[in-house]
């Protein structure tokens, strides 16, 4: 049966994309299989940004208003869906686009959703007012209150949903062409809180994530921005103010609201916010931030078991990438060293670790003179790089690795010319096809129905970057054939040049920092890492550095080198930490609770740990930095043994010399032993 209830705007389309996505993420098995069939049968896909992730959906499905499995199964329009495409084009909502980047993103998207799809032909339609560069852009997250009227949030939120928008108030005037300076002039007699929301609303872009807040209690809803700033007089009803006057807002953004409850709000606990992320700012009209992981997880419907290492440690990675240097601080046993390694792994970085101690010095860390024996057995001294300088040198040398794809490809073509043709099969569906080298030394593919060329550039992109630029089934099969026939292939993957290197300094405060780092205080400063801002420093043995050494003209810390230090809060040497060093690091506390979450401490062990730490917090002379971390409870089943051989001696040391030490120790023991059983 033909349908004529076509969509009228992008809001309808985005909601349909999300509906199909939800079937694939957490729908019934029947709906999942049905949704997969839509992807497998389609040749044209609509593309939209959902934050920093591109979503795809078949054109035919998204082209009808409020489409669902039930509606589409009964009636889905005629033929190949040409009416749907014509409607989207006539309304100037989308334009046809073919792009290698979109192709790769599409295959990544469907693979993440558990689909192995091979298509000889694939076409995309992107928003008519956007470019592919817009789709690639980094997006932000905005947090908005629906009203300034006390007790009227639910009413105002209902207006947001009904009108598919978010809005702010103040003067009922069109500011479409107003600059920030002009807005500041208009509101010069108001405080900054009047101008700030207008500055932000002018920055909102298509694809940004919008969260409507209920103070710190939760979100009324979460959606996607689909327009820049707009004006329409009194478009949003914000409720009734304290004087009994109805309030309307006129400055707005189109929003496709995707996640919300029919009544009430989504409580904060549902977002499972984990350290080092913090909850959104609960006050103010409009606030802006990088997209938090807890927002992405909720919007993308990620379940905890689907969270890979990169997702779990993403907040820490984000802070490290921004600041270049971090120190993880916390009580003993909070897993700071473990966390440092996990952060490095989540970055896909190569890492090394060193532990500082009182006798560690500049010659160990940067460079120094070391005794060497010549061929006659005589002892002399020679300048040697320290561990950190060697590490930085390795990071620079890896950037120069080029691989040998070109040589291997020419050998493969020569062999193909010699044997005239070869027969291969596609990797997934095992369809046979033949290949031969053409006069341009590219590869011609012959299938049962047609022939076409797979260019060298396609194979280079697949082998070096894992990207599929075109002809996925055949590019993949030929690329794998090249790998199998040439085990000497050395790949210069794109990530090699941008590869991250993480240097972990365990117990950073136990060494004499100024003696170890010397002039490197300047080099590790994040402000001097970029190549254009780089200033080379002369080390103590600069004159002895060999010609041809990458640091011959002076030492610098490469931009792709990051430093993570770890430090126990209760270590008495904390006070000696150099202030010049302190300001060059971002400090992140790893609390006892954080460690329990990071190490997945559950059941009785978690209950006893929390009971003990709560009592430590209340004990005079102790506090947060004396709490017990999760490492001591990890994989512990015998609680009596844990107390007798680990906890009791540690707690006695904490209390030594304090008044009422014996009484306080008894309270701590009672807190730990007070948990006789624990049922989840």
């Amino acid at each position: 049966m033909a349908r004529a209830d076509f969509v009228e705007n992008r809001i309808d389309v985005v909601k349909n994309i999300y509906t199909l996505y939800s079937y694939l993420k957490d729908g019934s098995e029947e709906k999942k299989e049905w949704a997969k069939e839509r992807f497998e049968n389609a040749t044209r896909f609509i593309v939209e940004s959902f934050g920093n992730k591109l979503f795809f959906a078949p054109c035919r499905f998204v082209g009808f208003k409020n489409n669902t499995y039930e509606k589409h199964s009964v009636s889905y329009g005629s033929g190949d869906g040409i009416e749907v495409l014509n409607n989207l084009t006539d309304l100037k909502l989308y334009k046809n686009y073919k792009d290698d980047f979109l192709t790769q993103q599409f295959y990544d998207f469907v693979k993440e959703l558990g689909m192995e799809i091979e298509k000889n032909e694939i076409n995309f339609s992107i928003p008519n007012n956007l470019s592919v560069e817009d789709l690639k852009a980094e997006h932000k997250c905005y947090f908005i209150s629906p009203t300034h009227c006390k007790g009227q949030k639910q009413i105002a939120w209902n207006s947001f949903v009904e009108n598919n928008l978010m809005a702010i108030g103040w003067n009922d005037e069109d500011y479409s062409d107003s600059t920030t300076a002009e807005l500041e002039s208009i509101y010069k007699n108001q405080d900054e809180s009047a101008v700030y929301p207008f500055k932000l609303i002018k920055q909102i872009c298509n694809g940004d994530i919008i969260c409507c807040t209920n103070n710190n209690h939760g979100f009324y809803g979460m959606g996607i921005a689909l327009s820049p700033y707009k004006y329409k007089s009194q478009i949003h009803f914000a409720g009734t103010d304290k004087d009994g006057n109805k309030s309307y807002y006129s400055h707005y953004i189109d929003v496709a609201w995707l996640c919300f409850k029919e009544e009430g709000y989504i409580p904060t606990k549902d977002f499972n916010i984990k350290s080092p992320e913090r909850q959104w700012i609960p006050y103010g009209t409009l606030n802006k931030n990088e997209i938090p992981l807890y927002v992405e997880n909720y919007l993308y419907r990620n379940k905890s078991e689907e969270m890979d290492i990169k997702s779990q440690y993403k907040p820490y990675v984000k802070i490290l990438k921004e600041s270049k240097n971090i120190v993880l601080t916390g009580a003993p046993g909070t897993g700071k060293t473990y966390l440092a390694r996990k952060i490095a792994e989540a970055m896909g970085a190569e890492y090394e670790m060193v532990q500082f101690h009182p006798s560690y010095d500049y010659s160990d860390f940067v460079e120094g003179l070391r005794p060497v024996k010549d061929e006659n057995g005589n002892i002399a001294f020679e300048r040697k790089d320290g561990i950190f300088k060697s590490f930085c040198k390795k990071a620079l040398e890896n950037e120069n690795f080029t691989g040998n794809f070109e040589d291997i490809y020419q050998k493969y073509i020569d062999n193909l010319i010699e044997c005239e043709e070869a027969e291969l099969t596609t990797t997934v569906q095992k369809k046979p096809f033949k290949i031969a080298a053409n006069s341009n030394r590219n590869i011609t593919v012959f299938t049962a129905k047609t022939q076409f060329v797979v260019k060298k550039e396609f194979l280079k992109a697949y082998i070096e970057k894992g990207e599929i630029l075109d002809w996925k089934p055949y590019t993949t099969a030929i690329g794998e054939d090249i790998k199998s026939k040439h085990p000497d292939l050395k790949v210069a993957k794109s990530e090699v040049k941008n590869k991250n290197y993480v240097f972990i300094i365990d117990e950073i405060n136990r060494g004499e920092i100024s003696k170890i780092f010397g002039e490197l205080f300047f080099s590790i400063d994040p402000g001097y890492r970029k190549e254009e801002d780089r200033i080379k420093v002369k080390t103590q043995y600069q004159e002895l550095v060999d010609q041809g050494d990458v640091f011959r003209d002076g030492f610098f810390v490469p931009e792709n080198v990051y430093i993570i230090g770890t430090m126990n809060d209760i270590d008495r040497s904390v006070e000696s930490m150099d202030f010049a060093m302190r300001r060059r690091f971002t400090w992140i506390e790893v609390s006892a609770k954080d460690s329990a979450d990071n190490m997945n401490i559950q059941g009785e062990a978690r209950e006893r740990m929390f009971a003990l730490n709560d009592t430590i917090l209340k004990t005079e002379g102790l506090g947060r930095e004396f709490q017990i971390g999760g490492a001591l409870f990890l994989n512990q089943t015998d609680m009596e043994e844990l107390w007798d051989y680990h906890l009791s001696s540690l707690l006695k040391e904490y209390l030594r010399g304090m008044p009422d030490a014996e009484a306080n120790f008894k309270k701590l023991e009672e807190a730990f032993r007070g948990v006789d059983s624990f049922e989840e």
Side-chain angles (χ1 to χ4, degrees):
M1 183 187 301
R3 291 175 66 178
D5 57 332
F6 299 123
V7 296
E8 297 178 356
N9 51 55
R10 280 176 59 209
I11 294 170
D12 294 337
V13 173
V14 169
K15 289 180 178 179
N16 284 338
I17 293 173
Y18 196 66
T19 296
L20 196 63
Y21 176 80
S22 68
Y23 293 157
L24 291 164
K25 286 295 284 188
D26 46 26
S28 65
E29 285 304 313
E30 181 182 359
K31 287 185 177 180
K32 279 183 182 177
E33 291 306 313
W34 179 85
K36 287 180 181 179
E37 286 180 13
R38 306 282 73 72
F39 275 86
E40 290 167 355
N41 297 334
T43 58
R44 179 166 295 280
F45 295 86
I46 302 297
V47 188
E48 285 281 2
S49 293
F50 284 58
N52 290 324
K53 184 174 183 177
L54 291 185
F55 277 41
F56 298 80
C59 179
R60 180 187 284 187
F61 178 82
V62 303
F64 298 103
K65 277 188 178 180
N66 301 316
N67 211 1
T68 61
Y69 161 74
E70 291 77 14
K71 288 182 182 179
H72 204 74
S73 297
V74 174
S75 175
Y76 51 81
S78 62
D80 58 2
I82 193 66
E83 296 98 333
V84 169
L85 182 58
N86 288 340
N87 177 62
L88 296 175
T89 305
D90 292 344
L91 292 173
K92 297 184 178 178
L93 297 179
Y94 294 89
K95 59 188 176 187
N96 300 337
Y97 211 92
K98 190 170 179 66
D99 182 83
D100 295 338
F101 169 76
L102 295 180
T103 302
Q104 182 61 44
Q105 291 293 307
F106 170 79
Y107 284 122
D108 290 345
F109 178 76
V110 296
K111 184 178 181 181
E112 184 183 307
L113 292 169
M115 293 181 279
E116 282 289 343
I117 295 177
E118 291 183 353
K119 290 186 179 292
N120 292 335
E121 180 186 1
I122 185 167
N123 301 285
F124 302 107
S125 293
I126 68 174
N128 199 58
N129 60 331
L130 301 180
S131 67
V132 171
E133 292 306 312
D134 293 323
L135 298 177
K136 291 180 180 179
E138 190 80 10
H139 288 89
K140 304 297 182 184
C141 188
Y142 292 84
F143 302 87
I144 186 167
S145 171
T147 183
H148 69 283
C149 301
K150 189 174 181 179
Q152 302 285 293
K153 279 189 167 64
Q154 183 69 56
I155 293 170
W157 160 246
N158 292 341
S159 175
F160 272 15
V161 174
E162 289 167 11
N163 294 295
N164 295 303
L165 54 72
M166 56 152 277
I168 61 175
W170 298 96
N171 295 353
D172 189 4
E173 298 176 21
D174 188 354
Y175 296 142
S176 297
D177 300 321
S178 300
T179 64
T180 300
E182 288 170 338
L183 289 170
E184 289 174 343
S185 176
I186 292 169
Y187 292 100
K188 63 184 178 182
N189 295 325
Q190 304 288 341
D191 60 27
E192 174 64 15
S193 63
V195 181
Y196 185 65
F198 284 108
K199 289 181 180 178
L200 292 187
I201 200 170
K202 288 285 197 123
Q203 297 172 20
I204 296 177
C205 299
N206 280 265
D208 286 340
I209 297 176
I210 310 297
C211 300
C212 181
T213 65
N214 181 17
N215 298 114
N216 63 348
H217 305 301
F219 291 159
Y220 281 109
M222 191 182 296
I224 303 297
L226 294 178
S227 76
Y229 165 86
K230 288 183 172 183
Y231 166 84
K232 185 176 181 180
S233 182
Q234 299 187 355
I235 191 171
H236 167 60
F237 177 57
T240 305
D241 65 20
K242 61 182 180 180
D243 298 322
N245 300 314
K246 290 185 176 181
S247 293
Y248 292 91
Y249 296 169
S250 303
H251 313 283
Y252 73 103
I253 298 283
D254 290 331
V255 178
W257 293 107
L258 304 174
C259 306
F260 56 88
K261 294 179 178 290
E262 291 300 320
E263 286 293 332
Y265 57 89
I266 307 166
T268 302
K269 65 179 180 61
D270 286 5
F271 297 107
N272 194 25
I273 303 171
K274 292 186 176 181
S275 179
E277 288 194 313
R278 296 291 180 260
Q279 188 179 345
W280 60 91
I281 298 173
Y283 49 82
T285 301
L286 183 63
N287 291 294
K288 171 185 174 183
N289 206 340
E290 302 296 323
I291 302 174
L293 182 61
Y294 62 83
V295 168
E296 283 188 345
N297 285 335
Y298 196 91
L299 179 64
Y300 300 158
R301 308 173 86 94
N302 291 334
K303 298 181 177 66
S304 57
E305 60 269 21
E306 296 173 330
M307 301 276 291
D308 59 14
I309 182 174
K310 290 186 178 180
S311 296
Q312 184 179 353
Y313 299 104
K314 184 178 176 181
Y316 294 99
V317 170
K318 176 176 170 289
I319 294 172
L320 179 58
K321 283 190 171 181
E322 288 174 352
S323 64
K324 299 291 186 183
N325 313 312
I326 64 173
V327 171
L328 303 174
T329 71
T334 47
K336 298 176 289 296
T337 307
Y338 169 85
L339 179 58
R341 292 199 301 267
K342 290 299 182 184
I343 293 170
E345 290 170 6
M347 290 177 74
E350 182 172 331
Y351 67 91
E352 287 187 24
M353 187 171 76
V354 66
Q355 189 176 68
F356 279 5
H357 50 78
S359 61
Y360 204 81
D361 65 13
Y362 183 90
S363 64
D364 299 307
F365 193 67
V366 185
E367 63 183 2
L369 298 178
R370 296 298 190 205
V372 293
K373 188 182 291 187
D374 65 18
E375 56 189 18
N376 298 318
N378 299 317
I379 301 296
F381 286 88
E382 187 177 290
R383 189 202 65 83
K384 293 285 187 181
D385 289 335
I387 186 171
F388 182 65
K389 194 173 184 182
S390 296
F391 185 76
C392 291
K393 188 175 290 186
K394 186 196 301 183
L396 286 171
E397 288 172 350
N398 266 313
E399 289 189 343
N400 300 323
F401 178 68
T402 57
N404 64 348
F405 170 81
E406 293 294 336
D407 293 338
I408 295 298
Y409 179 80
Q410 296 307 326
K411 289 180 183 179
Y412 187 79
I413 292 295
D414 290 340
N415 292 336
L416 198 53
I417 291 172
E418 187 175 333
C419 66
E420 295 186 353
E421 67 177 24
E423 187 166 315
L424 303 175
T425 59
T426 59
T427 54
V428 177
Q429 296 184 2
K430 304 302 179 185
K431 292 180 180 179
F433 65 95
K434 293 181 179 180
I435 61 172
N438 63 27
S439 58
N440 294 323
R441 297 184 71 82
N442 285 314
I443 296 174
T444 302
V445 173
F446 301 90
T447 70
K449 296 180 179 179
T450 187
Q451 69 180 60
F452 50 86
V453 175
V454 173
K455 296 179 180 179
K456 180 178 74 173
E457 290 74 17
F458 298 172
L459 296 167
K460 183 178 175 70
Y462 172 72
I463 290 173
E464 292 192 344
K465 304 177 185 178
E467 293 181 359
I468 310 293
L469 302 185
D470 209 347
W471 304 112
K472 179 185 179 182
Y474 308 98
T475 299
T476 304
I478 298 169
E480 292 303 317
D481 190 51
I482 293 173
K483 290 179 186 179
S484 66
K485 289 179 177 173
H486 295 278
D488 55 334
L489 174 68
K490 295 178 181 177
V491 179
K493 292 187 176 180
S494 60
E495 61 264 26
V496 169
K497 184 171 183 180
N498 300 314
K499 185 176 181 180
N500 296 316
Y501 288 78
V502 174
F503 194 80
I504 300 170
I505 305 173
D506 197 32
E507 310 231 22
I508 191 171
N509 55 305
R510 290 193 65 231
E512 190 176 331
I513 298 298
S514 58
K515 183 178 75 171
I516 295 171
F517 277 83
E519 63 281 342
L520 264 61
F521 277 11
F522 187 81
S523 298
I524 69 169
D525 194 302
Y528 300 114
R529 296 287 193 89
K530 290 184 178 179
E531 190 169 353
E532 59 269 24
D533 301 322
R534 186 178 292 162
I535 300 176
K536 298 178 180 180
V537 298
K538 302 295 183 182
T539 58
Q540 293 179 24
Y541 299 97
Q542 190 65 48
E543 296 304 317
L544 299 179
V545 177
D546 296 334
Q547 291 290 339
D549 190 294
V550 68
F551 295 128
R552 179 67 182 90
D553 297 328
F555 179 75
F556 58 90
V557 179
E559 190 177 359
N560 61 334
V561 170
Y562 301 83
I563 301 173
I564 303 178
T566 71
M567 188 171 82
N568 284 334
D569 281 347
I570 60 171
D571 194 318
R572 295 298 184 261
S573 57
V574 168
E575 286 114 21
S576 67
M577 193 72 173
D578 196 301
F579 280 104
M581 179 62 76
R582 281 181 178 271
R583 74 174 184 83
R584 287 174 167 85
F585 281 79
T586 296
W587 297 70
I588 302 174
E589 181 185 7
V590 183
S591 68
K593 182 183 181 304
D594 294 337
S595 73
D597 292 336
N598 291 336
M599 300 178 193
N600 197 30
I601 307 298
Q602 299 296 332
E604 182 185 357
R606 186 182 182 93
E607 189 78 355
R608 287 179 184 263
M609 174 182 166
F610 280 27
L612 177 60
N613 282 333
D614 186 54
T615 306
I616 288 174
L617 202 59
K618 296 173 183 175
T619 301
E620 186 177 355
L622 301 183
R624 220 177 142 82
E625 65 271 24
F626 289 86
Q627 290 184 316
I628 307 299
L632 285 172
F633 290 84
L634 191 62
N635 300 321
Q636 260 301 348
T637 55
D638 190 331
M639 294 296 130
E640 292 301 313
E641 185 178 290
L642 174 63
W643 176 264
D644 292 339
Y645 298 116
H646 298 283
L647 293 176
S648 62
S649 58
L650 178 63
L651 294 171
K652 284 176 181 176
E653 182 63 26
Y654 282 177
L655 295 166
R656 185 161 56 90
M658 292 185 182
D660 302 322
E662 194 171 325
N664 284 331
F665 179 80
K666 188 169 181 61
K667 287 180 183 178
L668 295 173
E669 183 175 9
E670 288 173 353
F672 178 82
R673 296 185 185 280
V675 182
D676 297 323
S677 64
F678 177 73
E679 293 181 7
E680 287 188 286

